[in-house]
Structure formats: C-alpha cells, structure tokens
C-alpha cells in the first residue's frame, strides 16, 4: 500500500491589529502513506509577520 497526497492552503487575514500588520498565510504539503500505520508529511508554511515577529516561515518533517 502506497498513497501520495499533495495539497495547499491559503488564508487571508484582515488587518485588525492596531499595533502590528497582519498578513495572509499559505502552506504547501505532500503526504505519503507508506504502510497502513506509517505516514510521512512534509509541509512548508509561510505565516508572514505575526504581531511583532517578522517572517514566520519554515519547513517541517
């Protein structure tokens, strides 16, 4: 059994914070089910600026 699922997501944000700029966010991912109980997911996400933290992005495994 081997299954592959790619995907993407986009989230728009209104700029409601008075002290910081909010931005849209997106993520891309690929997931593989290698065996019945074993899966591997590799996402990349870009959350933009969150409150006072700049460039919130990264890849995960």
């Amino acid at each position: 059994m081997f299954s592959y699922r790619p995907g993407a997501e986009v989230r728009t944000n209104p700029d409601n914070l008075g002290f910081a700029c909010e931005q849209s966010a997106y993520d891309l991912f690929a997931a593989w089910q290698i065996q019945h109980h074993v899966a591997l997911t590799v996402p990349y996400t870009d959350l933009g600026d969150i409150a006072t933290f700049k460039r919130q992005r990264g890849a995960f495994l």
Side-chain angles (χ1 to χ4, degrees):
M1 170 191 279
F2 182 78
S3 179
Y4 168 71
R5 298 282 187 254
E9 205 172 37
V10 175
R11 181 181 57 122
T12 58
N13 249 354
D15 196 9
N16 292 332
L17 291 176
F19 67 92
C21 180
E22 291 181 275
Q23 298 175 337
S24 297
Y26 72 89
D27 65 71
L28 306 168
F29 61 89
W32 295 270
Q33 183 176 6
I34 301 165
Q35 293 181 357
H36 184 66
H37 296 290
V38 179
L40 175 68
T41 304
V42 180
Y44 174 80
T45 185
D46 184 350
L47 302 175
D49 298 341
I50 301 174
T52 59
F53 298 101
K54 303 287 183 190
R55 295 180 302 276
Q56 298 294 304
R57 64 180 77 134
F60 304 95
L61 177 64

